[in-house]
Amino acid sequence: MTRKSVLRAAALALPAPFLVAGAARAVGARTAESAPPLTPYCDDGDDPTPPQMEGPYFKPNSPRRSSLVEAGTVGTRLTVTGHVFGLDCRPLPDVLLDFWQADANGGYDNVGYRLRGHQYTDASGAYRLSTIVPGLYPGRTRHIHVKAQAPNRPVLTTQLYFPGEPRNSTDTLFDPALLMTVRTVNGVREASFDFVLNVTSGPTPTPTGTAPGGTWAAGTAYPVGARVTYGGVGYRCRQAHTAQPGWEPPNAPALWARD
C-alpha cells in the first residue's frame, strides 16, 4: 500500500472541496499563495515536511487530548485533520503530535495548558485536532505549532499556516510549504495537512552506545544546554530528552544545535 493510494482514499472519503494538503485546494481557499507547493505527494525524491523554530512558548507534558476547546474557550472553531507518512510512502501509526497555539487574542497560556495538547495517530496514520483559529500578535501571522515524532525516531518541530492571511507576506518565518488547506462551513473552519517525516517503516536501529569519537550516547537523559560531541563536532541540547538511536545530533536539528 503506497501513500498515494491512502491519499486517494482519504480524498474520496472527504467532501469534494476538502482535499488533503498537497492536493488541489478548495475554491474558497485560493489566494495569492495557492500556487506554492505544499507537503508533496509520494514520489521518488520527495522531501519531508520542513522544520521550523520552536519559539519561546513550548511547554512539555501537555495533556493527551484531541480537542483543545474547553468550557469558555472563545474564538472561531477550527478542525484540523490529516495523515502522517514516512519517506517509504506508508502511513505512520502511533506518531506523537504535540500542538500548542495562541488564543483568539494572540496570547499563550504559559501557566497552565490552555490550547495545548498531544495525541497519537491511529493505525491508518490519521489525526484530528479540534481547536480555534489562533489570534495575531506582533511580528507573526496566524500559525499553529506542532511537534511530530514517530516511535523512537527524530522529532520534527514545525508550524502550520493559514492561506490568505495578510501577514503571510511580512512574517519572516512563513513558509508556503506549510500552508494548510482551509475552508469555512457554517461558521466553522476546516483545515487539512499531511506530514511527511524523515523516517521509514523499517526496523528501529540497534543502539550503538557512545558515538565513535564523541560523547553522545543513546539512553542518556540530556537537559537543555547540555553539550556533547559527535563525529568530531560539538552540539548543544535545544530540548530536554532521552537520546535514542536515530536521534544522533546531526540527524536531529530540533534537539541539537551545532556549536
Side-chain angles (χ1 to χ4, degrees):
M1 179 177 63
T2 66
R3 182 159 68 90
K4 268 188 176 176
S5 66
V6 175
L7 283 168
R8 203 172 291 120
L12 292 173
L14 293 170
F18 192 32
L19 301 178
V20 293
R25 300 208 187 156
V27 172
R30 294 190 64 85
T31 69
E33 295 122 23
S34 63
L38 302 183
T39 300
Y41 282 112
C42 184
D43 291 309
D44 291 341
D46 275 352
D47 293 324
T49 301
Q52 290 216 318
M53 67 178 294
E54 177 182 282
Y57 302 118
F58 173 71
K59 290 180 62 177
N61 304 317
S62 68
R64 180 176 179 178
R65 56 187 178 182
S66 59
S67 177
L68 308 185
V69 178
E70 304 174 5
T73 299
V74 176
T76 301
R77 297 298 189 261
L78 170 70
T79 300
V80 185
T81 59
H83 291 79
V84 181
F85 300 98
L87 295 178
D88 60 356
C89 305
R90 297 180 184 275
L92 298 175
D94 300 319
V95 172
L96 170 63
L97 294 170
D98 196 346
F99 295 95
W100 72 102
Q101 67 172 81
D103 62 21
N105 295 316
Y108 288 84
D109 180 6
N110 298 317
V111 177
Y113 289 92
R114 184 165 47 91
L115 294 174
R116 300 175 183 269
H118 73 271
Q119 60 179 279
Y120 295 87
T121 56
D122 65 17
S124 66
Y127 72 92
R128 181 183 182 89
L129 175 71
S130 297
T131 183
I132 62 169
V133 175
L136 297 168
Y137 57 92
R140 295 303 316 276
T141 190
R142 297 185 201 277
H143 61 280
I144 297 174
H145 294 270
V146 58
K147 288 181 180 288
Q149 180 186 18
N152 299 318
R153 300 302 176 95
V155 177
L156 167 69
T157 301
T158 193
Q159 302 178 38
L160 303 181
Y161 295 98
F162 294 76
E165 289 291 328
R167 291 194 186 181
N168 287 351
S169 61
T170 59
D171 188 332
T172 58
L173 294 177
F174 172 75
D175 185 342
L178 296 169
L179 278 168
M180 297 182 289
T181 299
V182 182
R183 72 170 188 170
T184 301
V185 179
N186 297 325
V188 177
R189 304 292 293 276
E190 295 180 345
S192 180
F193 190 88
D194 287 332
F195 297 90
V196 180
L197 300 186
N198 191 19
V199 301
T200 65
S201 300
T204 301
T206 302
T208 56
T210 302
T215 60
W216 180 90
T220 303
Y222 289 108
V224 173
R227 281 181 160 77
V228 300
T229 57
Y230 185 92
V233 178
Y235 295 88
R236 174 178 50 83
C237 182
R238 303 178 64 181
Q239 178 183 333
H241 68 284
T242 298
Q244 302 287 337
W247 294 9
E248 294 83 358
N251 302 325
L255 302 176
W256 295 101
R258 185 167 177 164
D259 282 338

